[in-house]
Structure formats: C-alpha cells, structure tokens
Amino acid sequence: MISAINSALQGLQNASKQVEQSAVRIATEPTPENLVEDIVDIKVAETAYKANLKVIEVADELTQELLRTFDETV
C-alpha cells in the first residue's frame, strides 16, 4: 500500500505542476490557441488530482481495515 500512496503522491505533484505550467502560459502567452489548450490541461490535471486523492483515501481505508483485522486475530 505504501507503493500506491507513493504513486498517488507523485501523481498529485505532477498534476500540480501541470496546473502551474498552464497558469504561467495563460498569464504570459494568452493566445486563443494556447488558452484553449491550457484550459483543457487544467481540467485534465484537476481530474488526475481528484483520482490520486481517491487512491490515497482507499489506501488509507484498506490499511485501517487490515489493522482492524490484525487486532481481532491477535
């Protein structure tokens, strides 16, 4: 489960970087073509961010369940 959390954390960082890069381009190079592409990139990054948060949430739930099971058998 540590591997899943590490992967999700990396995904969160990547999504954050994508939003930052797109925001910089919007602020510095606001051409119509770039604007559309950057808005789409931000929406994709938002979805990726939410998905990675869900992975962390599920990994936490599984860890808690594993610990409960362990406590019951020991």
Side-chain angles (χ1 to χ4, degrees):
M1 282 189 240
I2 302 254
S3 155
I5 293 172
N6 285 337
S7 294
L9 290 173
Q10 184 64 45
L12 292 174
Q13 289 177 334
N14 291 341
S16 294
K17 286 178 190 175
Q18 181 61 49
V19 169
E20 181 181 356
Q21 290 169 352
S22 294
V24 167
R25 279 195 304 271
I26 289 170
T28 60
E29 307 167 21
T31 66
E33 299 82 24
N34 287 348
L35 186 59
V36 170
E37 183 179 331
D38 288 329
I39 290 171
V40 170
D41 287 346
I42 288 171
K43 291 302 286 179
V44 169
E46 176 186 11
T47 302
Y49 202 90
K50 288 178 182 179
N52 283 294
L53 285 176
K54 191 66 173 174
V55 168
I56 292 171
E57 180 183 322
V58 170
D60 179 55
E61 291 170 3
L62 290 172
T63 301
Q64 294 303 319
E65 184 61 31
L66 180 63
L67 290 174
R68 271 192 293 278
T69 301
F70 182 74
D71 281 345
E72 291 173 2
T73 57
V74 173

